[in-house]
Amino acid sequence: MKRGFYTIMSAQFFSSLADNALFVAAVELLRTGGAPEWQRAALVPMFALFYVVLAPFVGAFADARPKGTVMFYSNAIKVVGCLMMLFGAHPLAAYAIVGLGAAAYSPAKYGILTELLPASQLVKANGWIEGLTISSIILGVLLGGQLVGRHLSGMLLSFDFPFIDTSVDTAPEAAIFLLIFIYAIAAWFNTRIPHTGVEMRPLCKDPQRGMLRNTLELLPDFWSCNSRLWRDRLGQISLSTTTLFWGVSGNLRYIVLAWSAAALGYSTTQASSLVGVVAIGTAVGAVLASMRMRLDMAPRVMPLGIGMGLLVIGMNFIDNVWVAAPFLILLGGIGGFLVVPMNALLQHRGHNLMGAGRSIAVQNFNEQACILGLGAMYSVSTKFGVSAFGAITGFGVVVAGAMWAIQRWHAHNLVAHKDEVEHLMAIARHDDHH
């Protein structure tokens, strides 16, 4: 791997670490503030909101500026969201601003991989970045759980700045204040990311027509890119698979918290450790996939998606932590092995069709729209009294059924569009087409 790759990894680690710790802190902030459970569940779709709304713009912005600079700006936006939580804004609104920063961050984070590395290293690079991201999820949710726990929060709240009133009076607020400094570390690494030498694509091609008009013209350009990726015989399969995976995974993070409280009687601090257990399995699966899978082998992992859906339903029958831990590791491992090669194949097709930043923005739009839709359904169902067990059953059925349909779709393409699929597979096997 090139040297700049490891700087990207470091920046991603600290930014993701803070994101995941902040999620736990925000859940606890709402809980201790007396907010109803549906508002806590709504944190997931609120985070996804700007991914969907700004999808036509963030990809083009990532292609118009050096991606390290874009990542720096994005971390600064996340800090603004944290400060809003500390200074009295509603946690849902403030968390949406953090989601805005994440929406701008993602096209740059993944898009720079296709600029820096050849196609033959994309699966390995995705294994690295997903493995490290998931490691940061493990540490992030554990860190968030510990920061809002009695021991660490007591230490943080006992510390006082001389002559300064910080208005930090509760455990979640102390955790959020500390996480601002982790975002600052990520921002420092962003400034060290090298330029890749890839030509920038101007956001405003014709200065005489004005920035606003040109920006609005990104809307039809985005929908054209979205349609192009959905029409591609490999892009449509990888995009539908990753959309489904992240739609469910994004909401499963909160569902595991709710399930562990209902099935095991866990507090937020204890439940956060089980979210980390799922992430351990995902990291192992991601690393194994990066070692064993090639880009052209990605469609072979689809049956794992059906198994993942059935395992999700199996959570309803577990009421012992010693059974839950290995079960959740297995669930995460299957997910990690599924998503890494599919994600790499999607990046490869997107880079060839429209450019790195735009393709990642299209991917984010679809995945976050799925998170938003499923999260909204879960929040509404919670408001009307559906239990965590019922939601888990619904999620499992959706995953297994949808993955079966995607697998049949690919099988149809292999027959009806055999020559086209074989040509795209040949492209995936050779760096010179990347």
Side-chain angles (χ1 to χ4, degrees):
M1 292 295 181
K2 296 182 180 179
R3 181 180 176 185
F5 177 75
Y6 299 105
T7 307
I8 298 167
M9 293 296 95
S10 300
Q12 167 58 11
F13 174 81
F14 285 104
S15 184
S16 180
L17 180 77
D19 286 348
N20 287 280
L22 182 63
F23 172 74
V24 178
V27 168
E28 187 68 4
L29 186 65
L30 284 169
R31 191 190 69 80
T32 55
E37 186 181 347
W38 72 265
Q39 288 194 13
R40 286 174 260 161
L43 283 169
V44 174
M46 287 302 289
F47 190 81
L49 178 65
F50 281 110
Y51 273 93
V52 178
V53 173
L54 296 182
F57 310 105
V58 291
F61 182 66
D63 284 339
R65 305 278 302 185
K67 290 183 171 54
T69 303
V70 175
M71 293 160 78
F72 177 85
Y73 292 159
S74 302
N75 274 316
I77 294 172
K78 293 178 182 181
V79 170
V80 171
C82 291
L83 291 173
M84 288 174 63
M85 286 190 197
L86 293 179
F87 287 99
H90 194 285
L92 286 176
Y95 199 61
I97 298 301
V98 178
L100 168 60
Y105 192 94
S106 187
K109 172 186 73 176
Y110 283 107
I112 198 172
L113 295 181
T114 55
E115 294 181 358
L116 193 70
L117 303 170
S120 62
Q121 289 187 309
L122 278 181
V123 173
K124 183 181 289 186
N126 269 271
W128 271 92
I129 201 167
E130 293 299 339
L132 194 64
T133 298
I134 290 159
S135 298
S136 68
I137 292 173
I138 299 167
L139 295 175
V141 294
L142 291 176
L143 175 63
Q146 293 302 313
L147 287 176
V148 300
R150 198 171 290 176
H151 179 65
L152 278 182
S153 64
M155 292 175 58
L156 291 172
L157 290 170
S158 66
F159 184 79
D160 200 8
F161 288 99
F163 311 113
I164 300 176
D165 182 11
T166 61
S167 300
V168 175
D169 302 316
T170 66
E173 290 174 341
I176 293 165
F177 181 75
L178 183 65
L179 294 176
I180 291 174
F181 294 96
I182 298 181
Y183 280 125
I185 294 172
W188 181 82
F189 276 108
N190 293 152
T191 65
R192 315 305 298 173
I193 293 174
H195 291 259
T196 60
V198 173
E199 183 180 356
M200 299 293 99
R201 302 186 183 193
L203 193 63
C204 182
K205 295 181 180 178
D206 184 0
Q208 308 232 336
R209 300 177 66 190
M211 177 64 78
L212 179 61
R213 185 171 177 181
N214 277 272
T215 301
L216 292 178
E217 287 174 357
L218 291 172
L219 288 170
D221 175 66
F222 173 80
W223 289 115
S224 173
C225 291
N226 188 54
S227 299
R228 204 179 313 160
L229 201 50
W230 275 111
R231 287 195 302 266
D232 186 85
R233 301 300 173 188
L234 288 183
Q236 60 190 206
I237 300 302
S238 55
L239 181 56
S240 55
T241 302
T242 57
T243 293
L244 178 66
F245 173 84
W246 289 115
V248 174
S249 295
N251 287 281
L252 198 62
R253 183 172 56 164
Y254 178 76
I255 289 174
V256 168
L257 290 178
W259 167 78
S260 58
L264 305 174
Y266 273 16
S267 66
T268 302
T269 299
Q270 292 171 312
S272 65
S273 63
L274 285 182
V275 180
V277 165
V278 178
I280 289 172
T282 310
V284 172
V287 171
L288 287 175
S290 70
M291 295 168 59
R292 300 182 63 87
M293 300 298 292
R294 299 191 311 271
L295 210 56
D296 57 299
M297 296 167 62
R300 299 181 190 178
V301 302
M302 283 188 288
L304 293 176
I306 301 173
M308 185 180 174
L310 298 176
L311 283 175
V312 168
I313 299 173
M315 290 173 62
N316 287 327
F317 304 99
I318 298 173
D319 58 4
N320 185 302
V321 69
W322 298 107
V323 177
F327 185 89
L328 293 175
I329 289 174
L330 176 62
L331 178 63
I334 290 175
F337 200 93
L338 169 73
V339 76
V340 164
M342 279 296 187
N343 209 41
L345 180 62
L346 181 57
Q347 288 174 21
H348 174 70
R349 292 307 308 143
H351 181 76
N352 278 273
L353 289 169
M354 66 201 66
R358 282 171 169 82
S359 69
I360 299 299
V362 168
Q363 180 179 349
N364 283 341
F365 170 78
N366 287 277
E367 292 171 359
Q368 298 297 326
C370 189
I371 291 176
L372 185 60
L374 291 175
M377 287 172 54
Y378 181 77
S379 298
V380 170
S381 63
T382 301
K383 185 175 176 63
F384 288 99
V386 176
S387 68
F389 302 110
I392 287 169
T393 301
F395 270 63
V397 170
V398 167
V399 176
M403 279 306 308
W404 178 84
I406 294 168
Q407 189 175 5
R408 299 309 305 157
W409 188 7
H410 182 60
H412 169 76
N413 286 346
L414 289 174
V415 175
H417 308 282
K418 180 180 178 182
D419 292 342
E420 184 179 353
V421 173
E422 287 182 353
H423 172 66
L424 295 178
M425 284 293 191
I427 292 176
R429 295 186 188 103
H430 296 92
D431 284 354
D432 55 332
H433 292 280
H434 181 60

